[in-house]
Amino acid sequence: MTPRTPRHRRLLPRLLAACALAWGLLAVPPAATADGAQAATYTNPVSAGVVDTFPDPSTIRGKDGLWYAYGTQNPVFQSQGEDGERILPILRSADLVHWTYAGQVFTPATQPAWENGSRLWAPDIRYFDGHYSLYYSVPGAGTVALATAPTPTGPWTDRGSVLPSPSGCPSGNIDQAQFTDTGGQAYLYWGSYDTICVAQLTPDRTRTQGAVTQVAKGRRVEGGFVVHRDAYYYLFYSDGGCCSGAFSGYQVKVGRASSPTGPFRDELGTDLTALTSKAGIVAGANGNRWIGPGHNAVQTDLSGQDWLVYHGIPAEAPDLAPAAGGTLNLTRRPLLIDRLDWIDGWPVLRAGAGPSDTAQTAPVTAPATGGAFDGGTLTGWRTEGAGTGGWSAPVETDSGGYAAHADSGDAPAFAVSAGTAPANVRAEADLRVTAAGGRAGLALAYAGPGDRITAWLDRSRNALVTEAVVGGVPAGEQLTALPAGFTWNTWHAVTAELRGTALTVEVSHDRLHDPVAVQQRTVPAGAARSGAVALAARGPGAAGDNVSATALYTPVTARVAGPAPGALLPGYSDEFDAAAVPGTTAGSPWSWVRGPAAGVAAGGGSLSWPTQDAELYLGDNSASVLQRPAPDGDFTVETKLVFAPGQTSQQAGLVLYENDDRWFKLVHSVLALNNGGGAVLQVSEFGKEGERPTTTPPTAVANAPMFGGPTADTMWLRLVHHLDAAHGEHEVRAVTSRDGVTWTYAGVWTLPVKGPLKIGLVSMNRSGATARFDYVRTYAG
């Protein structure tokens, strides 16, 4: 199979038109390549040609102004003949698009002895108190560990396990992410298969402490990552199974809460700890080359646009060759990035279009104006205000060159960039204050010392202070307290977004959507103008670096429309008004595979079908299938299902059936919760069975399923089928609803076309429940 281009057709109806309306006409400045040139576009995977695979990525912008990515231990150089693995590999980039290999956290010789040679997974990178903290999973020891370093590439110092034993979370102690709340309290999220937990961290962030709270439960729930945006905390996570090659059902989902400890709810109001599947789908497979997109982080470019950083599995080469002497079989999961939009308060990938595999507008990583003082020089910057001779450009190991001012006294001093940025602007800088009584500031919309907006880190008042000055007249200060124990001698990221007269300023350790202070205010209309960006100093000890200002991104406000059914096709539909059981009378369009099933009854507008103690799974093909021909080409099939299962493995719903080893299904299903003490989940399970293409001869494989929206005793289930004749594939998307009005659109499964699919129903796995199908309706398109 050769790489494929995305096929945004009726599975994502009218996508191109919607995209043009939603974002295609936006003027977005191009990104900078590693050599400083401009890159207008990128194409996933961004790790192509650098490493073969890069699972579970997390990223950070280092204090040297470059971006770094960290991945799970894997054989990243297999194509170059290397059989072994790199332990927590590191990539480096100037633009989030062009990456180079930058080393690994440990080697077999330097890996801490207490880890007993465990493979190391899912790194999460943060900056705090002047060093980089890498939290990572040690599955062989059943814990999460911490290593710290003075630079993004090391050298790394082992800080031991972060979790006590037992951890207090009834799940796998992996897939951790650190988060800092406004006010400075640090948290750690962790867990997998099938619970995510959170606990506070000690002030030095080396150990969890206090109560452990469960914040999400679900089948194969893992990979938590939390961001704070506006009034909410957003918990991103993945479910459905990461690592089954072409049969991986991973999707990224999200819930939000008003507290970092929850309760988190999806956009339908379902608590993430409820024993059901969830809505809130951020990213799922869309039918192009990318399978099982998941395990994400979030990064922000210089314009303020967010990007989902995640991995995906290429359909044309889903599996790595056996590694470690043939004992290790792994799924290929390269590094992907795509634009993350926030629409009506919820994040979604590319407005709902899903993972990209064609050229996309690149992140903005080259500022309209600003600089990083590399080489220890102030060339290109002019000094204004007080103490113009007090500026210097020292050099240190981590940040490289930066700007510092000795002491400006009571009046502010400015180091001003050449060039200007527009009135709607995002400005940012790394700031620190090394002397008591000093202030370091970021000035934007700068036209001179008497015409500017400045965000100060004010050490004497332990506060973020903003001021606007117009025509030499101050428009008043606004103060926001910084956390007690704020580490003034280390770098903090200050970002300021000005849209019209609305100013938002954040102070964080590392620009990862977890600010320790946020201030919003309105500035005078005269201050909201185009201008330069500047570093500001007042008093002693002010320093700044990585100063930038660029046009503020234009948000996407409309989702791509989900697939909507066309005209009803009566010849392929049934209201079950007839008293005869379908498939038992001459001329019926229905037929049975292993049937009629015992206890089936029809009439009065429904089909009643007790669940069978039977299966449709690999070699156990004992369940009955009620089937009928499907229309040619594209169609949508829908049923209304009334089903209240009570035991694990009972399931009922729709199938698109070719034979016992090739099918798609969307069912209301009951599955056991791993490490759940006997608890069970009721889920919308979207699965397929087919052949693994990389085996000779091809072997039948069942998937790690995707999961649709939350369940109820009455469900509406849809399967949307597209026949991709150009690539010889069936593409099927699952859609679920609890009211027939509000729909959750899950991902897409594909199978090569070999024979026709038939529309079918199943009620199976374990006896004891009864499914009632009120109709089967088939629609065009």
Side-chain angles (χ1 to χ4, degrees):
M1 189 183 300
T2 57
R4 304 170 294 169
T5 57
R7 300 176 296 284
H8 305 308
R9 304 148 302 266
R10 296 184 183 179
L11 282 175
L12 295 171
R14 301 170 183 83
L15 174 61
L16 296 180
C19 289
L21 290 173
W23 70 78
L25 302 179
L26 301 182
V28 181
T33 63
D35 61 4
Q38 295 295 306
T41 64
Y42 73 96
T43 302
N44 277 321
V46 292
S47 57
V50 183
V51 290
D52 301 331
T53 186
F54 203 78
D56 310 329
S58 67
T59 57
I60 196 170
R61 193 182 189 203
K63 299 308 176 183
D64 59 0
L66 301 176
W67 279 268
Y68 293 83
Y70 302 77
T72 280
Q73 177 174 337
N74 253 229
V76 298
F77 294 127
Q78 192 174 85
S79 63
Q80 300 179 30
E82 183 173 292
D83 182 61
E85 299 184 287
R86 298 298 172 105
I87 304 176
L88 303 175
I90 308 170
L91 303 181
R92 176 169 48 219
S93 176
D95 62 1
L96 292 171
V97 171
H98 301 86
W99 296 86
T100 58
Y101 181 73
Q104 57 187 329
V105 174
F106 298 121
T107 67
T110 61
Q111 182 177 354
W114 69 268
E115 296 172 354
N116 296 321
S118 172
R119 297 183 70 240
L120 306 182
W121 297 349
D124 179 72
I125 185 68
R126 306 284 161 158
Y127 179 86
F128 169 71
D129 201 18
H131 61 257
Y132 298 86
S133 295
L134 191 81
Y135 299 87
Y136 61 92
S137 305
V138 190
T143 194
V144 167
L146 171 64
T148 60
T151 76
T153 57
W156 298 94
T157 300
D158 172 40
R159 302 297 182 187
S161 175
V162 179
L163 302 176
S165 183
S167 71
C169 189
S171 66
N173 294 318
I174 64 170
D175 287 7
Q176 69 298 315
Q178 196 265 307
F179 172 79
T180 303
D181 193 14
T182 304
Q185 177 59 58
Y187 294 85
L188 189 76
Y189 297 80
W190 78 98
S192 137
Y193 281 61
D194 293 323
T195 305
I196 296 176
C197 297
V198 62
Q200 291 187 3
L201 285 166
T202 54
D204 64 2
R205 306 184 184 210
T206 62
R207 300 291 185 273
T208 58
Q209 62 178 356
V212 175
T213 303
Q214 298 179 30
V215 291
K217 291 182 182 180
R219 187 71 164 183
R220 298 185 175 180
V221 162
E222 60 186 21
F225 188 90
V226 173
V227 304
H228 189 189
R229 179 182 171 88
D230 298 329
Y232 293 105
Y233 302 84
Y234 292 84
L235 171 60
F236 293 80
Y237 66 97
S238 299
D239 69 2
C242 68
C243 312
S244 300
F247 290 76
S248 299
Y250 235 24
Q251 297 183 112
V252 178
K253 296 185 177 181
V254 72
R256 72 184 187 187
S258 56
S259 162
T261 58
F264 291 90
R265 300 181 184 276
D266 69 18
E267 82 269 30
L268 298 182
T270 309
D271 192 315
L272 296 193
T273 62
L275 295 177
T276 181
S277 51
K278 315 298 190 302
I281 297 174
V282 177
N286 60 8
N288 65 14
R289 68 183 295 210
W290 297 116
I291 299 165
H295 201 117
N296 74 283
V298 177
Q299 187 58 253
T300 307
D301 72 14
L302 297 187
S303 77
Q305 175 65 58
D306 284 334
W307 296 81
L308 198 75
V309 179
Y310 63 113
H311 70 233
I313 301 165
E316 73 277 7
D319 302 306
L320 294 164
T327 63
L328 193 62
N329 293 287
L330 295 170
T331 293
R332 187 186 308 272
R333 293 175 284 164
L335 173 64
L336 314 181
I337 64 169
D338 273 308
R339 192 190 71 242
L340 184 67
D341 298 318
W342 297 84
I343 300 175
D344 297 327
W346 293 95
V348 62
L349 195 66
R350 295 199 308 134
S356 72
D357 70 348
T358 57
Q360 304 291 310
T361 301
V364 178
T365 53
T369 181
F373 311 102
D374 291 333
T377 177
L378 292 171
T379 300
W381 295 78
R382 68 182 186 273
T383 58
E384 295 182 357
T388 56
W391 288 99
S392 62
V395 177
E396 62 185 17
T397 301
D398 181 25
S399 64
Y402 65 97
H405 196 279
D407 190 343
S408 70
D410 292 334
F414 300 94
V416 186
S417 69
T420 61
N424 284 345
V425 65
R426 176 182 166 99
E428 62 180 63
D430 290 321
L431 301 177
R432 70 185 181 196
V433 183
T434 59
R439 280 190 270 180
L442 168 66
L444 59 151
Y446 183 94
D451 287 284
R452 58 181 167 84
I453 299 168
T454 310
W456 295 97
L457 295 185
D458 187 329
R459 186 162 178 169
S460 62
R461 291 187 279 184
N462 199 63
L464 164 66
V465 181
T466 62
E467 62 174 348
V469 182
V470 180
V473 179
E477 293 184 334
Q478 185 167 314
L479 276 70
T480 300
L482 293 168
F486 188 80
T487 53
W488 288 94
N489 292 331
T490 65
W491 295 112
H492 288 82
V494 176
T495 63
E497 292 188 355
L498 182 64
R499 195 180 297 275
T501 59
L503 176 69
T504 300
V505 181
E506 295 185 350
V507 180
S508 69
H509 296 285
D510 42 28
R511 306 171 68 255
L512 289 173
H513 268 300
D514 54 352
V516 297
V518 179
Q519 185 186 117
Q520 295 179 319
R521 63 173 293 182
T522 300
V523 300
R529 58 176 173 257
S530 62
V533 67
L535 283 176
R538 199 164 189 168
D545 198 4
N546 301 317
V547 185
S548 70
T550 197
L552 185 60
Y553 79 106
T554 301
V556 174
T557 59
R559 287 180 181 251
V560 172
L568 180 69
L569 301 176
Y572 297 93
S573 304
D574 198 330
E575 299 296 318
F576 300 124
D577 291 327
V581 172
T584 61
T585 59
S588 173
W590 295 96
S591 62
W592 285 91
V593 178
R594 292 176 295 273
V600 174
S606 68
L607 176 75
S608 177
W609 187 348
T611 52
Q612 299 175 290
D613 193 7
E615 182 56 275
L616 190 65
Y617 180 78
L618 297 180
D620 183 1
N621 295 313
S622 54
S624 299
V625 180
L626 178 61
Q627 60 175 5
R628 64 181 296 155
D632 295 332
D634 297 350
F635 61 88
T636 296
V637 59
E638 175 184 309
T639 191
K640 179 181 177 182
L641 172 66
V642 181
F643 188 49
Q647 299 183 57
T648 303
S649 299
Q650 292 172 333
Q651 61 178 261
L654 286 170
V655 293
L656 294 179
Y657 176 87
E658 180 182 336
N659 58 51
D660 283 342
D661 296 317
R662 291 175 55 77
W663 45 256
F664 303 89
K665 74 174 182 181
L666 175 59
V667 293
H668 181 173
S669 177
V670 182
L671 300 173
L673 182 69
N674 291 303
N675 303 308
V680 296
L681 294 161
Q682 296 201 29
V683 298
S684 300
E685 180 182 348
F686 178 37
K688 73 171 180 176
E689 190 168 294
E691 307 88 1
R692 188 181 295 278
T694 55
T695 61
T696 305
T699 55
V701 176
N703 66 292
M706 300 182 206
F707 298 110
T711 58
D713 289 351
T714 300
M715 293 288 295
W716 284 256
L717 307 176
R718 284 179 183 167
L719 289 174
V720 183
H721 173 264
H722 170 70
L723 180 63
D724 180 11
H727 297 90
E729 280 190 339
H730 297 291
E731 299 182 355
V732 178
R733 187 174 189 180
V735 190
T736 66
S737 177
R738 295 179 297 179
D739 59 10
V741 176
T742 302
W743 299 87
T744 296
Y745 301 93
V748 174
W749 281 122
T750 67
L751 279 176
V753 173
K754 290 190 174 181
L757 298 175
K758 293 187 176 181
I759 294 166
L761 301 174
V762 291
S763 182
M764 61 182 183
N765 276 175
R766 180 178 291 182
S767 59
T770 297
R772 191 186 83 206
F773 300 92
D774 281 2
Y775 58 78
V776 170
R777 294 174 184 164
T778 303
Y779 303 90

